[in-house]
Amino acid sequence: MIELVGFDGDDTLWHSEGYYQAANGEFERILARYVDLTDTHLHDRLLATERRNLRLFGYGAKGMTLSMLEAAIEITESRISAADLHRIISIGKDVLSHPVELLPGIRAAVEAVATRHRVVLITKGDLFHQEQKVDSCGLSDLFHRIEIVSEKDERAYQRVFTECAVRAEQFVMVGNSLRSDIAPVVKMGGWGIYMPYHVTWAHEADTDFAAESSRVVQVAAPDGIVGALSMLDARAA
C-alpha cells in the first residue's frame, strides 16, 4: 500500500508559470524594437538558449533572466541598449518577488492526504527562490519532509525513497509535469497523480510519456487528489 505521497510545488501547490509567461511577453515587447518578431522565431531561440544553459544556471527566474540577456544580445547582434538590458534584469526581479498564491483547494487536499499518509514536498528550481516560496506558502507545517532539488530525475527520487525508508512502489507523486513529476517515478515503479496546469513551459511539455497508464490517475483540480489516491492505493494493494 501507499506510504508516502509527494507534492510538486510550482503550479501544483502555488501559481508560477503565469509569471514566467508574462515575463516572456515583456521580453518580446522589448526585442520588438530591434527585430521583426515574425522572422526571428524569438520564442524558439529563447527556449533553445534556456535549454542550453540549464546545466550551468539551473531552473528558475535567475537562469531565465541570464538566458534572456544572452538571447537579447545575440538576436539583436549587440544592438540592444544598456537601458533595455536593465529592463530585462528588472523583469527577472519581478518574477523573483511575485506573491505566493495557492491553487484553490490545495491546502484542504494536502491536509486530507496527510491524515492517511506521510507527505513530502519535492520542488525544483533556484534554492533561494524556492525557499522563499516554501516559507510564504503557509503549507510547510503539513509536510514530513521538504526537498528542493536541482533536477527531478531518478537519482533525486531515489534519495527521497532512501531517506524516507520507502520503496518506489509505495510512493505517489502529485504534480503538473509529466516530464519531471510523473515519468521518472512511474519508470522506477511508483505511481503518479497528474494535475495539469492551464499553461506549461515548453521544456516541461517535451516528453513522450503518456498519462494513459494504469499507474497514473489524472485529475482536473485539487479536490480530485484524495479520490485519485484511493484508486492508486487500491491498485498498489
Side-chain angles (χ1 to χ4, degrees):
M1 296 178 66
I2 303 303
E3 292 192 10
L4 186 68
V5 179
F7 282 86
D8 168 49
D10 291 344
D11 300 320
T12 298
L13 297 181
W14 51 72
H15 296 285
S16 177
E17 182 59 23
Y19 296 102
Y20 287 87
Q21 294 289 324
N24 273 269
E26 183 61 23
F27 176 72
E28 290 185 0
R29 284 188 285 274
I30 293 172
L31 269 289
R33 300 160 124 191
Y34 300 91
V35 296
D36 184 344
L37 298 184
T38 60
D39 291 337
T40 55
H41 304 286
L42 180 61
H43 175 78
D44 293 338
R45 292 180 69 175
L46 176 58
L47 179 61
T49 303
E50 288 179 307
R51 283 176 164 163
R52 187 172 65 244
N53 287 334
L54 279 176
R55 290 187 178 182
L56 292 173
F57 303 150
Y59 294 90
K62 294 176 185 176
M64 176 200 71
T65 305
L66 290 170
S67 292
M68 281 183 171
L69 292 169
E70 180 181 348
I73 293 169
E74 291 179 351
I75 292 169
T76 65
E77 298 179 337
S78 301
R79 290 183 292 112
I80 188 168
S81 70
D84 281 333
L85 290 176
H86 191 266
R87 287 181 62 195
I88 292 173
I89 293 173
S90 295
I91 292 172
K93 288 182 176 180
D94 288 343
V95 175
L96 285 168
S97 60
H98 72 73
V100 178
E101 180 185 359
L102 296 180
L103 271 66
I106 194 63
R107 182 176 181 90
V110 177
E111 288 176 336
V113 172
T115 63
R116 298 173 51 193
H117 305 276
R118 286 183 294 163
V119 292
V120 294
L121 170 57
I122 307 174
T123 185
K124 75 176 180 183
D126 176 77
L127 177 62
F128 289 170
H129 195 198
Q130 291 297 318
E131 284 181 336
Q132 182 268 326
K133 291 180 181 181
V134 170
D135 289 343
S136 301
C137 73
L139 299 175
S140 57
D141 59 304
L142 300 176
F143 292 102
H144 173 77
R145 188 179 187 89
I146 295 172
E147 292 281 344
I148 299 174
V149 299
S150 57
E151 184 64 271
K152 287 182 177 176
D153 52 18
E154 293 184 34
R155 181 179 179 181
Y157 285 112
Q158 185 57 59
R159 184 173 66 249
V160 173
F161 300 159
T162 300
E163 293 177 352
C164 294
V166 298
R167 301 185 304 275
E169 59 268 27
Q170 297 172 306
F171 177 75
V172 174
M173 184 66 186
V174 183
N176 70 296
S177 170
L178 289 174
R179 178 190 180 104
S180 297
D181 300 320
I182 308 300
V185 172
V186 171
K187 185 177 180 181
M188 298 173 74
W191 310 82
I193 296 177
Y194 174 47
M195 188 174 69
Y197 193 66
H198 67 275
V199 60
T200 302
W201 183 33
H203 177 73
E204 291 297 336
D206 184 14
T207 177
D208 57 4
F209 181 85
E212 291 76 24
S213 165
S214 61
R215 306 189 77 86
V216 180
V217 175
Q218 182 169 330
V219 300
D223 60 7
I225 292 174
V226 172
L229 183 57
S230 295
M231 292 174 61
L232 293 178
D233 208 11
R235 295 177 192 176

